[in-house]
Amino acid sequence: MTFAERVRECVGEIVHVATIVDTVPGILLSSNNNFLTLRASSAVGYGPTGNVATLTSSTAFVRTTE
Amino acid sequence: MANQVTLEELVDLIQNAVRPGPITRIFGLGSTGINEVSEVLRRFANSNGTGESVESLLGSSPLNSPLNGIIGIIINIIEGFINPRPTLPSPFARLARANLGNNVLMTTTAGTVEGVVAEVGSWYVVLTEAAGSTVIVNLENTTAFQPYNPGVA
């Protein structure tokens, strides 16, 4: 199982995706070898509500709290 | 911004290269072989995202086995360009596996995380932090691994 496949098991959960430049909080929508996609909201501090795609290869770790 | 090349365009490029070009000479393909290679490449392009394996694509083709080998090589090269993935496990995976159930510190490009090793894959480690949260660490962006027991000096 790859990192992306393992992260995919958390789809629907609130996660924090940590990259070298920032940590993006949101609800995980999808995960594949190219991108992790989150629905971020202003309530969790990452700009306006919307989908954020982070490069899977640049992701250091994903934290889940559920 | 550079134009993005789609999978179909990439396959077209390969097919054009396969025709009377250098790949044909390297693999010694005749015209029948070229058509069969093109057919499997087309099928590969159409299968993108369906998870269909190279083996199943080749298995449904009427090709003879030497040609299967050649097509498999070409498809693997294309897959490598489209979706490069490390094939060997990370060197950290062995260290992490030896520390299953132990508290560790892992330094990543986004900082250090600490927790008990709960699960180890070829390119990821799952840690359970003291607060109860779960961290999935990407070993591709891990720079250090250290068994760490804060209770021991």
Side-chain angles (χ1 to χ4, degrees):
Chain A
M1 186 187 289
T2 64
F3 172 73
E5 288 167 342
R6 181 59 183 82
V7 171
R8 196 178 304 145
E9 293 181 4
C10 303
V11 164
E13 296 181 17
I14 296 172
V15 299
H16 288 72
V17 176
T19 70
I20 191 167
V21 290
D22 208 353
T23 297
V24 186
I27 297 170
L28 183 67
L29 298 177
S30 67
S31 170
N32 59 44
N33 287 326
N34 297 321
F35 295 110
L36 307 183
T37 308
L38 310 178
R39 174 167 293 280
S41 74
S42 54
V44 286
Y46 193 79
T49 300
N51 293 353
V52 179
T54 65
L55 273 176
T56 304
S57 59
S58 297
T59 300
F61 59 84
V62 174
R63 178 178 280 116
T64 68
T65 51
E66 291 181 0
Chain B
M1 183 190 288
N3 289 335
Q4 190 171 6
V5 178
T6 66
L7 178 60
E8 288 75 13
E9 289 166 342
L10 188 60
V11 170
D12 282 344
L13 283 172
I14 298 280
Q15 285 176 328
N16 287 331
V18 164
R19 273 192 189 99
I23 293 177
T24 309
R25 286 196 293 275
I26 290 169
F27 292 115
L29 298 172
S31 59
T32 307
I34 291 167
N35 290 337
E36 290 173 344
V37 169
S38 297
E39 169 61 20
V40 173
L41 289 174
R42 187 192 58 73
R43 211 177 297 151
F44 173 73
N46 292 334
S47 77
N48 185 37
T50 65
E52 194 172 359
S53 67
V54 172
E55 290 74 19
S56 67
L57 286 170
L58 294 175
S60 60
S61 84
L63 305 174
N64 57 37
S65 58
L67 209 49
N68 280 3
I70 293 167
I71 293 169
I73 291 167
I74 294 172
I75 290 178
N76 285 334
I77 291 170
I78 297 170
E79 282 185 327
F81 279 119
I82 295 167
N83 193 16
R85 277 175 293 188
T87 52
L88 293 173
S90 162
F92 286 117
R94 193 161 55 95
L95 285 173
R97 212 163 275 127
N99 281 280
L100 266 170
N102 295 339
N103 198 70
V104 300
L105 285 176
M106 294 184 71
T107 305
T108 74
T109 54
T112 302
V113 286
E114 178 187 347
V116 174
V117 179
E119 184 183 335
V120 180
S122 295
W123 283 91
Y124 71 88
V125 169
V126 179
L127 300 180
T128 304
E129 294 180 306
S133 50
T134 298
V135 179
I136 306 168
V137 181
N138 187 355
L139 293 181
E140 206 173 336
N141 294 311
T142 297
T143 55
F145 181 95
Q146 179 189 358
Y148 179 66
N149 188 342
V152 176

